[in-house]
Amino acid sequence: HAQVAAGTPKRNIQLSNIIEECSNGRRVSRLLELSPKKLEPLPVEEPKTPKRNSRAASTQPTSASKGTPKSANKMKLIRDGTIKPNIHSRDAPVQHDANELALARERLHVSATPSSLPCREKEYEEIYNFLEGKIFDGCGGCMYISGVPGTGKTATTTAVLRALKQLSEEEEIPKFEFVDINGMRLTEPRQAYVHIYRQLTGKTLAWEQAYNLLNKRFTTKAPRRITTVLLVDELDILCNKRQDVVYNLLNWPTMPTAQLVVVTIANTMDLPERLLMGKISSRLGLTRLTFQPYNFRQLQEIVMARLAGMSAFNSDAVQLVARKVAAVSGDARRALDICRRATELADDQAKKAHLSVTVSMMHVQQALTEMITSAKVKTIRSCSRMEQLFLQAVTAEVTRTGIEECNFLGVYSQFEALAAFSGVIVPNPGRAMAICARLAASRLLICECGRSDIYQKILLNISTDDVHFALQASKLL
Amino acid sequence: MRKMPSVNSDLDNTRRFLKARLLTDRASFHGYEAERLQIYDLLKRTAEHGESNSALLLGPRGIGKTTLVTSVLVELLSKETFHRNSLIVYLNGLIHIDDRLALKSATAQMNLENAVDGKVFGSFAENLAFLLECLKAGDRKKSKSVIFLLEEFDLFCSHHNQTLLYNLFDVAQSAQAPICVLGLTARLDVIELLEKRVKSRFSHRQIFLLPPEDGFEERLELFGSLLKLPTEQEVSTFEATHPTISPEVLSNDELTLLRNLFNPRKYNFPSKWVTQWNRTIEKLLKSSEVQTVLQNMYEYDVLEGPFRMLLFELVNGLDDEHPSITIESIQQLGESYESDDKVKLLMGSSVLEICLVIAMKHHSEIYDRDPFNFEMILTRFGKWANSSSSMQGIERPVVLKAFEHLKQLEFIAPLTGGGLAKVQKEYQLHRLMLTYGQIHQAVQRMQFLPTEITQWEISSLV
């Protein structure tokens, strides 16, 4: 038997070894041990000098016995999936506030996804029908879902899958396996194979092995195979130059043996045409779904659904949040975060006044100004006098030359003139450059690197109107 | 050897005390009550109620962002309910320059299963997967809260795909282990650096630390409070406001913020010395000369960090001959603060070098700052030197040496780009990196400079 193994090509041995390992569920390395390459490191050649020999003999066993085997074992157990990942548990479980505002805040947290998402019924229906049909028919297929961030793409899809999983447990529909990967959680596109394989078997392999095994699984016929649903989030990250990973993920469903349904999610609507190769976008097919940004009524409904049965929020306040957010992005996360901040503000007030406070227009207004407006004008106002003067010099130089980009020499001569005009001591170029660097550190200005010294180019990162508006009240004008 | 008199040892003690307070007093933070309370509440709610959050602390360099966070942590970590229920992970964009390093450090600091004695095993991909699984396995009620402090947050935005930020913010927005992501940065437009999906997951809580608009009075107060010695009463109140932190919290190797904090109890002064010292400081504050110097400094820079460094210099000058801070020493500090270093450097160069700088200045004036090479300057210099009485007969290599010395001091810099590097050094084009004002000042202030050179500097006609 050993002779046969030695005679066969090496790759065959490894592959058969792996398959055997998977079928038994434990590592069988008998075949590999027989191959000559593995045997090589065992007979150690003796070093020539005796000094080295003694040192090597003394250090090796101690270092080996200390840490490495333990940690190597641990790593093996982690890769096998025996050690379950865990985080330290807390001393005492969380105590809850009975406060209504605290409860509202908890419900308004983005993570507290409701069981049925409001305003996404149509999309839910569409994804549900698609997946249910594919599972019933036992065939493969693809779907592409797009929409700007925070419009409920992933939440709706996982809700559909949760419902289907429950139905399959009740044996209303055939059983299926569910695997989800997220492009942003991978360090490189090829790690997708590793993640898929791990979710199917619980083991971590190198990506080549994982790919081979997955390919084998999807391309060979198996009599009692059940449908696999694969959810791919952030598809655009998986696209590298060769696009081999995306190709494979979308090619497997076309195999009649695979029974693989792939649901892909990304932000841009025209991703298949813009980024993917022709053969890949052809495989992706035309079953597509676009999630529109929420309008203000929908956002209002979402927030109100979370607050159902509570009186902590003024309904006008919710409407204000919804209108403001819908005007900017239609991002549900943003609306929920603003509401949560408003409850915090109300809570602070309640603590101060020892009263029960409901979240009103005022709190929402304050939260909106905190979270939407920028602090540019305030920053300019809080700059030192020389910094303000320097900013003015930059605007003066921009208006003089008519070009947005100006260089330090020009600005400095304006600066000298302005300083002389307002009666302060003219700072020397070195100091002026320090001022310039400070303004660039907080990105009011954009400057070239310091090496070009007095020839560095300066760009105003704020509008000249902002500077004028901010310095109107200043003593300098 | 003479025995040190007691006055000096008091002075020594004072100097040590003031220096230590200027540099290491990270636990006490004054002002910005509302902002501090917001951070305090945020961290407290994360640890005690298991709420997940994300926030950014923004403000110019030197305003005290790190000090604010440290002071909040000192206050919170002394409580049992906080430090037993939370882990702090400290990451710095200047140290953890890519996601790989940041992830290793986070794994070690959270002491996860794949870390043994601060060593993390497995590849980058495995580490990321393992950390995410750990956080996913966690739950709001039972697992410890993790507080991620990301200093130099803007540098994390330049990592590949912003993977780390996406994942941290994603965990903060989903039902997993409770975490709080707190970013600190000086860039006010940092949110525009985030990718749109990362931006959507960030909660948009931005806390700005901006200096007050017209705070010269506060600056004077700060000057007093940083230089005065505490009375016995103040030391005893310090005890109450700065509680001790249990040593198990400090076992985190990466979190160095809380180590070697300032402790006034290590120093003691006779009360007579304290009143005497404080009286001199009060007197200084009242004097108009000191106020002018401080006002001038304030016009340049309103931030506390750089001001502390200036005071450090002031305290550094205390010794046996100068046993107390005087108006003169403060004025000296103000002068050195406003002086031009390039002019000083120029004043130290030789007469030949000054002549070359003047020739360059004339060239730049005539041709409106056009670049020049060595030959042009040599010709211009030669024309003048032939007619002058003292600079005749200087050999060409000597002038070239002087020219190269000027280049090394970066008074002139070669033009970069487009195949200019291959040109011979006599013909390489350079630009003058000084303003005409600086050259004029240096020439005027240099002693022992022949009069003909001063004359030549003023008129560009030869």
Side-chain angles (χ1 to χ4, degrees):
Chain A
H1 180 252
Q3 272 174 351
V4 175
T8 45
K10 212 177 76 198
R11 190 192 278 167
N12 271 1
I13 296 174
Q14 278 182 337
L15 204 63
S16 63
N17 178 36
I18 292 157
I19 291 160
E20 201 171 339
E21 168 203 325
C22 299
S23 59
N24 288 2
R26 65 194 171 87
R27 193 173 202 96
V28 185
S29 50
R30 191 159 41 86
L31 282 177
L32 270 179
E33 273 172 9
L34 288 171
S35 68
K37 211 177 176 189
K38 275 275 160 182
L39 282 172
E40 235 174 33
L42 283 176
V44 184
E45 228 177 86
E46 281 198 18
K48 276 161 198 161
T49 51
K51 212 175 180 183
R52 268 232 176 129
N53 191 12
S54 67
R55 191 192 285 167
S58 63
T59 50
Q60 256 183 356
T62 48
S63 67
S65 63
K66 247 187 182 171
T68 30
K70 206 172 101 196
S71 46
N73 272 341
K74 216 170 191 184
M75 209 53 227
K76 205 192 247 169
L77 290 175
I78 288 173
R79 285 189 186 135
D80 276 355
T82 332
I83 290 185
K84 288 275 170 282
N86 208 349
I87 196 162
H88 299 271
S89 53
R90 52 171 64 227
D91 220 24
V94 176
Q95 68 269 42
H96 275 286
D97 278 7
N99 188 348
E100 176 140 0
L101 279 173
L103 195 62
R105 197 162 59 225
E106 199 176 302
R107 282 204 204 164
L108 283 170
H109 198 281
V110 181
S111 67
T113 354
S115 49
S116 74
L117 290 168
C119 311
R120 285 293 178 224
E121 290 82 11
K122 219 177 84 225
E123 286 83 358
Y124 182 91
E125 199 75 359
E126 205 156 315
I127 301 172
Y128 185 92
N129 289 340
F130 172 81
L131 284 176
E132 195 191 26
K134 293 287 177 200
I135 290 169
F136 261 119
D137 300 345
C139 61
C142 295
M143 185 175 195
Y144 177 69
I145 298 171
S146 64
V148 293
T151 46
K153 301 179 294 296
T154 312
T156 311
T157 317
T158 44
V160 169
L161 282 160
R162 220 181 300 128
L164 287 171
K165 200 91 213 174
Q166 187 146 19
L167 280 182
S168 80
E169 265 160 31
E170 290 162 11
E171 299 188 345
E172 306 248 332
I173 61 167
K175 277 202 183 316
F176 69 96
E177 267 183 300
F178 170 53
V179 177
D180 73 321
I181 57 171
N182 185 326
M184 286 293 277
R185 293 198 186 125
L186 312 174
T187 51
E188 56 156 2
R190 279 168 182 160
Q191 288 292 323
Y193 304 132
V194 180
H195 279 246
I196 296 171
Y197 190 74
R198 187 172 50 225
Q199 287 187 40
L200 289 174
T201 62
K203 284 194 186 59
T204 309
L205 299 178
W207 72 264
E208 293 96 336
Q209 291 174 317
Y211 167 69
N212 284 337
L213 291 169
L214 284 175
N215 207 17
K216 207 170 180 80
R217 177 192 163 104
F218 289 127
T219 49
T220 54
K221 214 169 172 185
R224 263 169 297 171
R225 173 154 301 159
I226 54 172
T227 308
T228 312
V229 178
L230 172 62
L231 172 64
V232 183
D233 216 340
E234 314 289 2
L235 180 72
D236 49 326
I237 299 292
L238 290 179
C239 300
N240 47 6
K241 210 169 164 197
R242 289 181 60 203
Q243 307 196 352
D244 51 339
V245 177
V246 192
Y247 178 80
N248 281 323
L249 292 184
L250 295 176
N251 191 36
W252 283 328
T254 59
M255 310 277 175
T257 47
Q259 294 192 26
L260 179 66
V261 188
V262 180
V263 181
T264 54
I265 301 180
N267 291 134
T268 42
M269 202 164 81
D270 57 345
L271 180 86
E273 284 71 34
R274 203 164 41 85
L275 208 62
L276 297 178
M277 290 180 207
K279 58 180 178 185
I280 298 176
S281 61
S282 145
R283 279 173 174 74
L284 187 56
L286 292 168
T287 321
R288 295 186 190 179
L289 182 63
T290 308
F291 279 64
Q292 298 296 338
Y294 291 112
N295 61 26
F296 83 92
R297 275 206 192 82
Q298 290 169 325
L299 281 177
Q300 198 178 352
E301 202 181 319
I302 289 168
V303 176
M304 291 315 275
R306 295 224 178 181
L307 292 171
M310 297 179 78
S311 56
F313 248 90
N314 185 337
S315 67
D316 285 347
V318 176
Q319 192 175 358
L320 179 66
V321 172
R323 279 184 188 271
K324 285 273 185 188
V325 172
V328 179
S329 60
D331 190 335
R333 291 194 189 107
R334 186 73 83 86
L336 291 170
D337 278 329
I338 291 171
C339 289
R340 206 151 61 86
R341 178 70 192 133
T343 57
E344 278 172 24
L345 290 169
D347 211 11
D348 285 348
Q349 202 197 354
K351 260 186 210 151
K352 266 185 208 148
H354 302 288
L355 288 169
S356 62
V357 178
T358 58
V359 182
S360 67
M361 269 321 222
M362 192 188 72
H363 300 121
V364 165
Q365 194 75 50
Q366 201 181 335
L368 279 168
T369 49
E370 267 180 32
M371 296 173 95
I372 287 186
T373 53
S374 76
K376 275 177 182 163
V377 171
K378 253 175 113 182
T379 315
I380 299 169
R381 282 205 181 132
S382 68
C383 283
S384 76
R385 234 177 127 193
M386 288 294 170
E387 287 164 351
Q388 291 178 347
L389 213 58
F390 194 86
L391 280 176
Q392 262 187 323
V394 177
T395 54
E397 181 69 5
V398 169
T399 36
R400 188 183 72 89
T401 56
I403 314 166
E404 281 189 22
E405 196 181 74
C406 40
N407 76 5
F408 180 80
L409 267 179
V411 174
Y412 183 67
S413 63
Q414 294 279 357
F415 186 41
E416 273 180 314
L418 276 172
F421 190 66
S422 52
V424 287
I425 310 160
V426 183
N428 58 53
R431 303 255 106 218
M433 217 167 302
I435 289 171
C436 183
R438 268 206 306 271
L439 291 172
S442 50
R443 280 297 188 278
L444 289 176
L445 296 178
I446 297 172
C447 294
E448 254 182 332
C449 66
R451 277 303 297 277
S452 40
D453 213 61
I454 57 172
Y455 296 97
Q456 65 179 318
K457 297 203 169 61
I458 296 173
L459 208 66
L460 205 59
N461 198 24
I462 39 183
S463 72
T464 47
D465 294 341
D466 271 351
V467 179
H468 287 306
F469 176 67
L471 298 183
Q472 243 168 17
S474 165
K475 288 174 285 183
L476 291 166
L477 278 171
Chain B
M1 287 292 274
R2 198 159 55 92
K3 209 185 150 210
M4 285 275 259
S6 68
V7 179
N8 278 355
S9 76
D10 272 343
L11 180 64
D12 256 14
N13 241 344
T14 309
R15 195 174 60 210
R16 259 190 226 123
F17 173 86
L18 290 176
K19 278 184 177 179
R21 188 166 63 183
L22 285 170
L23 288 181
T24 59
D25 190 9
R26 291 186 299 269
S28 43
F29 184 78
H30 48 85
Y32 302 103
E33 294 297 331
E35 287 85 355
R36 189 174 184 278
L37 188 70
Q38 207 179 333
I39 300 262
Y40 180 88
D41 279 347
L42 206 67
L43 297 187
K44 193 171 166 224
R45 269 205 308 274
T46 309
E48 286 175 10
H49 300 274
E51 204 177 291
S52 289
N53 276 310
S54 50
L56 275 180
L57 186 59
L58 306 167
R61 288 199 188 287
I63 188 92
K65 299 181 288 295
T66 311
T67 315
L68 171 74
V69 173
T70 314
S71 78
V72 169
L73 284 180
V74 165
E75 194 176 338
L76 281 170
L77 281 172
S78 58
K79 290 184 189 171
E80 193 109 318
T81 49
F82 185 85
H83 82 246
R84 282 188 180 277
N85 293 325
S86 64
L87 293 165
I88 297 176
V89 176
Y90 175 81
L91 299 175
N92 191 322
L94 290 168
I95 298 167
H96 306 107
I97 49 171
D98 56 17
D99 283 347
R100 190 184 303 260
L101 285 172
L103 216 61
K104 275 216 154 112
S105 176
T107 309
Q109 289 184 52
M110 287 165 74
N111 205 2
L112 295 180
E113 286 280 4
N114 58 348
V116 179
D117 299 332
K119 260 197 193 140
V120 182
F121 294 94
S123 66
F124 175 36
E126 281 173 318
N127 288 341
L128 178 64
F130 195 78
L131 181 75
L132 291 178
E133 301 247 315
C134 284
L135 290 170
K136 209 172 178 181
D139 125 341
R140 210 191 128 189
K141 296 219 168 87
K142 285 185 214 122
S143 43
K144 273 192 182 179
S145 308
V146 189
I147 293 168
F148 285 89
L149 293 179
L150 306 182
E151 225 170 326
E152 309 293 344
F153 182 81
D154 49 319
L155 298 178
F156 284 98
C157 299
S158 59
H159 293 180
H160 179 67
N161 277 346
Q162 304 187 344
T163 312
L164 183 77
L165 291 186
Y166 176 91
N167 285 308
L168 288 184
F169 286 146
D170 196 50
V171 172
Q173 299 245 315
S174 50
Q176 302 181 10
I179 73 167
C180 175
V181 186
L182 184 59
L184 281 73
T185 177
R187 276 187 72 159
L188 298 170
D189 63 343
V190 70
I191 259 193
E192 287 156 35
L193 297 178
L194 297 176
E195 254 193 82
K196 58 185 185 314
R197 50 189 147 218
V198 183
K199 200 171 163 185
S200 164
R201 282 169 175 77
F202 171 57
S203 75
H204 284 263
R205 266 168 221 264
Q206 301 181 67
I207 301 158
F208 286 95
L209 283 191
L210 295 173
E213 268 172 45
D214 196 17
F216 183 60
E217 292 299 313
E218 287 160 47
R219 171 54 68 87
L220 282 179
E221 260 170 50
L222 183 69
F223 178 83
S225 68
L226 285 177
L227 289 183
K228 273 185 197 166
L229 294 176
T231 56
E232 305 236 332
Q233 214 176 359
E234 279 162 351
V235 173
S236 61
T237 50
F238 184 89
E239 197 106 8
T241 50
H242 296 72
T244 46
I245 305 168
S246 75
E248 67 175 298
V249 180
L250 300 176
S251 62
N252 185 345
D253 280 339
E254 312 260 343
L255 186 71
T256 51
L257 292 179
L258 300 171
R259 295 215 193 122
N260 296 328
L261 287 178
F262 173 69
N263 185 356
R265 278 157 287 183
K266 277 196 272 182
Y267 308 83
N268 50 53
F269 309 98
S271 57
K272 202 174 148 202
W273 170 266
V274 173
T275 40
Q276 199 190 333
W277 179 269
N278 287 352
R279 207 174 292 145
T280 44
I281 300 293
E282 279 291 342
K283 217 185 265 170
L284 282 178
L285 268 176
K286 294 261 162 56
S287 92
S288 63
E289 288 99 328
V290 172
Q291 287 200 1
T292 331
V293 173
L294 292 180
Q295 177 85 47
N296 279 344
M297 286 177 181
Y298 188 76
E299 303 250 295
Y300 272 113
D301 199 342
V302 290
L303 299 175
E304 193 184 317
F307 183 62
R308 273 174 180 254
M309 289 301 105
L310 282 174
L311 291 186
F312 189 83
E313 229 170 278
L314 194 66
V315 173
N316 212 13
L318 291 174
D319 54 21
D320 288 353
E321 280 125 58
H322 311 89
S324 67
I325 299 172
T326 55
I327 297 177
E328 288 76 41
S329 64
I330 291 174
Q331 274 174 335
Q332 218 168 17
L333 181 74
E335 261 167 44
S336 77
Y337 182 66
E338 285 185 10
S339 72
D340 193 335
D341 300 336
K342 265 194 174 173
V343 172
K344 277 188 185 164
L345 203 60
L346 201 55
M347 280 163 67
S349 48
S350 68
V351 176
L352 176 60
E353 284 157 11
I354 282 291
C355 289
L356 287 186
V357 170
I358 292 170
M360 288 165 192
K361 181 193 167 209
H362 289 169
H363 175 94
S364 302
E365 274 173 343
I366 293 165
Y367 298 107
D368 196 20
R369 284 207 177 254
D370 261 3
F372 47 82
N373 62 24
F374 173 69
E375 292 296 336
M376 294 177 193
I377 298 303
L378 183 66
T379 325
R380 191 167 289 280
F381 170 68
K383 269 186 202 165
W384 173 78
N386 281 336
S387 63
S388 86
S389 59
S390 58
M391 302 295 281
Q392 274 170 357
I394 295 175
E395 311 244 343
R396 182 190 157 96
V398 179
V399 183
L400 183 59
K401 181 83 181 167
F403 188 82
E404 284 187 342
H405 190 226
L406 289 177
K407 184 175 169 182
Q408 259 152 19
L409 288 171
E410 297 200 356
F411 288 138
I412 54 175
L415 280 182
T416 48
L420 285 167
K422 284 174 193 135
V423 184
Q424 276 181 304
K425 62 181 171 185
E426 290 94 335
Y427 300 101
Q428 206 177 4
L429 289 175
H430 289 81
R431 282 190 304 193
L432 181 62
M433 304 296 254
L434 296 161
T435 60
Y436 305 144
Q438 283 173 321
I439 297 170
H440 182 71
Q441 245 182 50
V443 171
Q444 292 298 315
R445 280 160 59 183
M446 259 172 102
Q447 288 171 332
F448 315 119
L449 205 62
T451 331
E452 50 182 5
I453 295 178
T454 349
Q455 291 294 323
W456 181 44
E457 194 267 330
I458 296 165
S459 80
S460 59
L461 299 171
V462 180

